[in-house]
Amino acid sequence: MGGLLAFKVAARAVLELGAELISSDEIAIYELVKNAFDAQSPTVEVIFKIRMRRTEYEALSAPFTEPVYEDENGDEREPTPAEMQEASAEFIEARDGIAEQLRRKRLRRTSRLLSESDDCEEARSVLRRAYNRLATITVRDTGDGMNERVLRDAFLTIGTPYRLRERRRRGAQRDTRAPLGEKGVGRLSAMRLGSMLEVTTGTLADETWNRLRIDWNRFALEDDTLVGDVPVEPFKGTAKEGDEKGTTLVISGLEADWTKEKLERIAVQEFSRISDPFLPKSRTFPLNIKFNGEEIKMRRLSSELFKHAHGVCSGKLRLINGVPRFEAGFEYRLYGERSSFEKGPDELRDAITESVPPSALRTLGEIDFRFYWFNRQLLKAIDGIGTVTDVRKLVNSWSGGLMIYRDGFRVNPYGGPGDDWLALNRQAFRSSGYLLNSDQIIGRIQISSDGNPKLVDQTNREGLRDNFEFQALKNLLHQFITVDLKRYIDRINDEYSGLKSIDFKAVDKNVASYERRVEENIANLKKEFPGQLDTLVRIQDSFRSMRHAYTQARDTVQRSEEHVQRLMDLAGVGLLVEVVAHELARATKHTLDLVTSARRRVGDTTLERTFNSVEGQLTTIERRLRVLDPLSVSGRQRKTSFDLVEVIRDVFVGREEDLSRAEISWSIDAPSRVQITAVKGMLYQTIENLVSNSMHWLSRAREESPGLKAKIRVEVSPEHGGSFRFTDNGPGISATLAEAVFEAFFTTRGESGRGLGLYIARTNARHHGGDIRLVGLSDIHPDRFNTFEVRMSADEHD
């Protein structure tokens, strides 16, 4: 048997790593600044000395390319004496001309050396050495520095866990900063910037500076040389003076064309965002940048700008006894309004979507966020900033959505120019007039290495790894901003400028889809059951009538906004038509499935059971249509005398199959009859909404606790003109949202909720002089409500 096998890394792989892992010059500099921060340096200097630009160097070097001579077959050949004489003359002419250019640029030494060169290779070498000397980037800090052992064992080890061990070591120490680096690849940033690197470093204990020179071109080998076979050896430098310490990196052989204008643009767009701009200046990490001795200004966020924001939002995700809780507050300064938002584990489960496991909310860790919202159409001049144009420029330079900061340092590229990681602009495109797009928002999210260990940088530094925790963060904030906050802002805007029309597009789309399925299924049932033709025709005609009534009602609403009550009534009809259309589609499909199944079996007993089931399906459809009849526009205007208990029972019996499939039991505790006088359709609608909400949240609760015995209980009383209490053992409603849930368009069900059901229920109750409210904090979940009380009269509450 042979010896153990192990991976071998070719020398050229180092260059591949540098090219692939560091995607831009800005990111490369950012990584080197992070290294200074991790070294506990109080500040860092980045000094650009550019006396010869990359494009200029390439233009000067271009004439010194050795000519290649080929024969008639295209193969290389030796030049003839005449060709050699011609090439020599061309070389001397180019050499002397370029030497004169350098002399005029006051680069006399380089000009002299070039004039003394004898061939193209020597001339290129002279220019390369000059370029390396005349174009450099220096990164200097006064941090802890590295002794010779660390320089050799840590700095020269790509992928070293040195910083990770440092983080753990410092974790228990006070007054120290948590290291930002942990992958051990940040030093490859120097390779991205230039082909040559010189390191000068030392600790307080060192008597001399420790030096290191790396020519990255030495790794560009086309043979099988291994990375460990390319010698890179630290050596002793000059003696240190006093208590000097720190690290200086000098990068030469620059790959990019650097100008003052380019650096100023990057400083404003990127370097200004490196440290958390929302923190006081005393708590940010100072970054000083110079270009040819001139300081490059970076733009800071002005607190005056924040004072003039039209809205301010702050929030947090916390784990309380291991249970995730989300809280946020929004101050709508434009109208002097405030609101708070809260989500418990069940609401959060809806917010992060079914594709993300609920456990991700716990492993995500705690987060804090804050952002300022600006209605760009209302921007004004601000003292201390300038004119409207100046204010708009400042908003433009900082807007972009929510930036992410880990331990005070930015995680690229979130919230930067052109980045829309929360998909706010896609929502804005769909919603005309939507004011919460990324161009309107300046804000940030705070995370930490210790508190959010699952939010880890991609190795290429282009964002966080796309795991469940990051998906949970994205989905939660997207849902909060585009649904919860948007609905609140829309509602306040409506209160100050008039109620907007209900958007029926989503309902229309769903109803049309269900209608096609119903028509198709009933057509097939007619072929299979000609004896039931009359019943099927009645069902089909009833559904078409209700569909026509809904269409007329919707058109009426869109033509008139004069009667808000009618608006809400018709919206409620639309929602219920959608529910019943879905039930019709499901029931008829189930009937067809039973017929198909029966055809495979010929036993009389089997056929009898099948047709009994078919009869049950048809009965279900008719019962659902009986519930719909009082909901018609004309039916909703008539008060009649009827039994409250019977109406409640009708709704539950009509939903019995749905409840059974969801494994939800129900019970009604009531006298034999409770006679009331009311609009029956309104009462049907209220009960339907309560049942629908309970089914949703009980299903969510069963996902979290599969052993839960889900149940709904209704207690009916003749008091208060007829009343009932509706209770389920689901997650309940937070006490802080006890009134908010009855507001139009408020929902905790994510994008699937419309936020109209409970608003319509309260409108219906108050139409009769009664009300609906949440009562009695639950024994099931402390500080939450699980019971709705509906009263049909204006009696005072207990």
Side-chain angles (χ1 to χ4, degrees):
M1 293 180 66
L4 293 175
L5 298 179
F7 281 109
K8 298 178 181 179
V9 180
R12 61 181 177 273
V14 173
L15 295 181
E16 294 294 329
L17 284 173
E20 296 296 328
L21 296 184
I22 311 299
S23 58
S24 69
D25 294 334
E26 300 94 298
I27 296 295
I29 294 172
Y30 177 47
E31 289 297 313
L32 298 178
V33 170
K34 282 168 56 178
N35 286 347
F37 177 89
D38 285 349
Q40 303 295 298
S41 180
T43 184
V44 63
E45 285 185 300
V46 182
I47 302 167
F48 287 76
K49 186 184 75 173
I50 310 294
R51 292 191 62 196
M52 182 183 289
R53 291 167 53 179
R54 178 77 189 190
T55 50
E56 184 181 4
Y57 162 64
E58 290 175 347
L60 292 172
S61 302
F64 302 118
T65 302
E66 296 280 0
V68 176
Y69 301 94
E70 298 177 349
D71 60 21
E72 61 274 9
N73 297 321
D75 297 327
E76 288 189 23
R77 63 173 176 80
E78 292 294 327
T80 65
E83 288 171 336
M84 291 178 63
Q85 185 176 5
E86 181 183 359
S88 178
E90 290 176 354
F91 165 74
I92 292 172
E93 181 182 1
R95 180 196 67 188
D96 293 346
I98 293 172
E100 179 59 28
Q101 291 182 44
L102 294 172
R103 199 161 28 248
R104 289 197 298 267
K105 291 177 177 292
R106 302 176 66 182
L107 300 174
R108 295 185 181 88
R109 180 171 177 270
T110 304
S111 174
R112 178 176 57 78
L113 292 173
L114 183 63
S115 298
E116 296 172 355
S117 61
D118 295 325
D119 54 38
C120 289
E121 184 178 352
E122 187 177 353
R124 288 197 305 272
S125 177
V126 169
L127 290 174
R128 183 169 58 252
R129 290 196 303 270
Y131 178 60
N132 289 346
R133 187 179 72 256
L134 296 170
T136 62
I137 299 174
T138 300
V139 182
R140 180 181 297 134
D141 71 59
T142 56
D144 295 337
M146 292 177 281
N147 57 31
E148 185 179 358
R149 181 186 60 80
V150 174
L151 186 61
R152 184 189 304 275
D153 297 343
F155 189 87
L156 289 178
T157 301
I158 297 172
T160 177
Y162 175 73
R163 289 298 184 198
L164 192 58
R165 290 196 296 265
E166 280 286 286
R167 172 181 296 167
R168 292 168 181 164
R169 183 179 65 82
R170 294 180 190 173
Q173 299 179 12
R174 296 183 179 180
D175 303 324
T176 59
R177 303 187 297 224
L180 300 171
E182 60 179 21
K183 294 181 170 52
V185 296
R187 61 192 56 81
L188 298 181
S189 302
M191 184 196 307
R192 162 80 192 200
L193 296 171
S195 60
M196 302 289 294
L197 172 64
E198 290 192 27
V199 181
T200 302
T201 184
T203 67
L204 274 176
D206 288 321
E207 295 181 356
T208 62
W209 294 105
N210 303 298
R211 301 287 304 277
L212 180 68
R213 291 194 183 102
I214 302 176
D215 182 352
W216 298 111
N217 291 318
R218 298 181 64 186
F219 293 86
L221 303 171
E222 296 183 2
D223 56 22
D224 294 328
T225 301
L226 300 181
V227 65
D229 295 333
V230 179
V232 180
E233 188 69 23
F235 59 94
K236 292 291 184 183
T238 59
K240 287 168 61 241
E241 295 182 7
D243 58 355
E244 289 182 317
K245 63 184 177 69
T247 300
T248 299
L249 307 178
V250 179
I251 303 164
S252 58
L254 303 185
E255 302 290 348
D257 204 26
W258 289 97
T259 64
K260 180 184 175 184
E261 292 71 26
K262 173 183 176 178
L263 191 56
E264 286 177 331
R265 175 180 55 79
I266 295 175
V268 169
Q269 293 182 354
E270 300 294 339
F271 297 159
S272 295
R273 300 171 185 251
I274 283 182
S275 290
D276 188 343
F278 292 84
L279 295 175
K281 188 175 182 179
S282 60
R283 293 180 56 192
T284 60
F285 185 55
L287 171 60
N288 302 313
I289 302 178
K290 292 181 179 179
F291 186 88
N292 290 344
E294 186 177 348
E295 185 178 352
I296 299 297
K297 300 289 186 182
M298 287 186 289
R299 185 171 291 167
R300 278 196 59 82
L301 266 173
S302 170
S303 58
E304 285 298 317
L305 182 64
F306 295 158
K307 293 176 184 176
H308 291 79
H310 301 113
V312 183
C313 184
S314 59
K316 57 189 177 183
L317 178 69
R318 293 286 183 267
L319 289 175
I320 302 174
N321 297 323
V323 178
R325 295 282 179 185
F326 174 87
E327 295 177 358
F330 183 74
E331 179 186 357
Y332 200 167
R333 292 177 176 174
L334 200 58
Y335 297 117
E337 298 281 351
R338 294 175 181 268
S339 184
S340 59
F341 305 84
E342 181 180 312
K343 295 180 187 292
D346 296 285
E347 294 94 347
L348 287 170
R349 180 70 190 89
D350 260 12
I352 65 173
T353 73
E354 294 182 358
S355 62
V356 180
S359 60
L361 285 166
R362 293 186 290 273
T363 53
L364 167 60
E366 299 186 344
I367 64 167
D368 289 88
F369 68 90
R370 184 175 181 84
F371 66 82
Y372 296 85
W373 169 65
F374 296 86
N375 185 329
R376 299 172 72 88
Q377 298 177 354
L378 303 178
L379 293 177
K380 297 178 181 179
I382 299 175
D383 290 340
I385 295 179
T387 64
V388 175
T389 301
D390 296 325
V391 172
R392 186 170 287 113
K393 285 182 179 178
L394 188 59
V395 172
N396 288 344
S397 66
W398 282 100
S399 62
L402 295 180
M403 298 176 282
I404 298 181
Y405 285 86
R406 181 194 289 112
D407 298 316
F409 267 74
R410 185 171 175 225
V411 179
N412 281 292
Y414 307 112
D419 178 72
D420 184 29
W421 69 286
L422 289 177
L424 303 182
N425 296 341
R426 187 162 66 243
Q427 178 72 33
F429 181 78
R430 293 198 301 261
S431 303
S432 176
Y434 183 53
L435 296 175
L436 283 169
N437 62 65
S438 64
D439 290 338
Q440 313 279 17
I441 290 175
I442 300 174
R444 62 98 160 90
I445 301 166
Q446 289 178 302
I447 63 175
S448 68
S449 300
D450 294 332
N452 310 94
K454 295 291 186 178
L455 297 181
V456 181
D457 288 351
Q458 296 184 58
T459 306
N460 65 2
R461 304 307 200 267
E462 285 296 308
L464 299 169
R465 290 180 184 171
D466 193 14
N467 53 24
F468 285 135
E469 288 75 16
F470 182 55
Q471 287 295 326
L473 175 64
K474 281 202 305 184
N475 295 347
L476 169 59
L477 290 174
H478 172 81
Q479 192 269 347
F480 168 67
I481 294 173
T482 64
V483 179
D484 303 330
L485 193 52
K486 177 184 184 298
R487 281 175 172 158
Y488 171 73
I489 289 178
D490 285 346
R491 181 174 65 81
I492 297 300
N493 288 344
D494 290 341
E495 289 179 1
Y496 284 89
S497 61
L499 186 64
K500 67 180 180 181
S501 299
I502 299 296
D503 182 6
F504 282 92
K505 290 182 180 178
V507 177
D508 279 346
K509 182 179 179 180
N510 289 338
V511 171
S513 173
Y514 295 139
E515 184 179 25
R516 287 192 297 271
R517 288 164 57 187
V518 168
E519 294 285 353
E520 198 175 290
N521 292 342
I522 289 181
N524 290 329
L525 285 170
K526 286 179 180 178
K527 295 178 184 178
E528 300 293 340
F529 299 101
Q532 298 285 344
L533 187 61
D534 290 343
T535 301
L536 291 169
V537 169
R538 286 201 312 275
I539 293 171
Q540 192 173 29
D541 289 345
S542 297
F543 180 72
R544 288 174 177 173
S545 296
M546 288 305 304
R547 180 68 171 88
H548 180 66
Y550 165 70
T551 302
Q552 287 184 316
R554 180 206 59 203
D555 293 342
T556 300
V557 171
Q558 291 174 340
R559 288 193 300 267
S560 173
E561 295 181 7
E562 295 178 2
H563 304 291
V564 175
Q565 176 62 49
R566 185 174 177 83
L567 180 72
M568 298 282 62
D569 288 350
L570 294 173
V573 172
L575 295 178
L576 263 295
V577 166
E578 182 180 348
V579 170
V580 176
H582 175 271
E583 180 65 21
L584 283 168
R586 189 206 60 75
T588 51
K589 177 63 167 63
H590 184 53
T591 300
L592 286 174
D593 289 344
L594 286 171
V595 172
T596 303
S597 175
R599 279 178 168 170
R600 300 191 186 101
R601 300 183 296 271
V602 294
D604 292 340
T605 303
T606 301
L607 284 174
E608 182 179 358
R609 284 201 303 269
T610 300
F611 285 114
N612 285 340
S613 181
V614 169
E615 183 179 3
Q617 291 292 311
L618 297 175
T619 302
T620 296
I621 295 172
E622 290 188 293
R623 184 181 294 116
R624 299 297 286 156
L625 290 172
R626 284 202 304 272
V627 172
L628 263 178
D629 182 62
L631 293 174
S632 65
V633 176
S634 58
R636 286 179 58 83
Q637 309 307 314
R638 297 193 307 268
K639 284 189 177 182
T640 57
S641 179
F642 57 88
D643 179 12
L644 174 61
V645 180
E646 182 182 2
V647 168
I648 295 172
R649 184 173 286 110
D650 275 352
V651 173
F652 275 99
V653 171
R655 300 295 293 267
E656 193 160 22
E657 287 197 26
D658 290 337
L659 291 163
S660 178
R661 283 196 302 272
E663 298 182 47
I664 300 172
S665 64
W666 59 276
S667 62
I668 300 175
D669 182 3
S672 56
R673 290 180 65 84
V674 175
Q675 200 73 13
I676 64 172
T677 300
V679 179
K680 185 184 288 188
M682 288 186 175
L683 193 58
Y684 271 127
Q685 191 178 62
T686 296
I687 301 165
E688 282 276 3
N689 280 327
L690 293 175
V691 172
S692 178
N693 283 345
S694 283
M695 290 179 63
H696 174 85
W697 291 113
L698 285 169
S699 296
R700 277 281 179 262
R702 283 178 56 81
E703 289 177 8
E704 291 291 313
S705 305
L708 175 70
K709 294 182 179 179
K711 55 187 176 181
I712 301 173
R713 182 167 181 261
V714 183
E715 300 170 87
V716 188
S717 169
E719 297 178 357
H720 314 295
S723 63
F724 62 91
R725 290 194 171 195
F726 186 103
T727 304
D728 66 40
N729 62 336
I733 295 172
S734 166
T736 61
L737 301 178
E739 281 301 312
V741 294
F742 296 104
E743 296 174 1
F745 309 112
F746 179 90
T747 181
T748 58
R749 287 176 59 170
E751 295 185 1
S752 65
R754 294 181 176 85
L756 286 174
L758 293 176
Y759 174 76
I760 293 171
R762 173 164 279 185
T763 301
N764 290 346
R766 290 180 174 176
H767 176 81
H768 295 88
D771 204 353
I772 178 174
R773 61 172 184 158
L774 286 158
V775 296
L777 288 175
S778 171
D779 294 334
I780 304 168
H781 305 288
D783 301 323
R784 297 179 77 84
F785 291 102
N786 282 72
T787 298
F788 288 93
E789 182 182 65
V790 180
R791 298 183 176 188
M792 302 305 293
S793 79
D795 293 354
E796 290 296 321
H797 293 315
D798 295 338

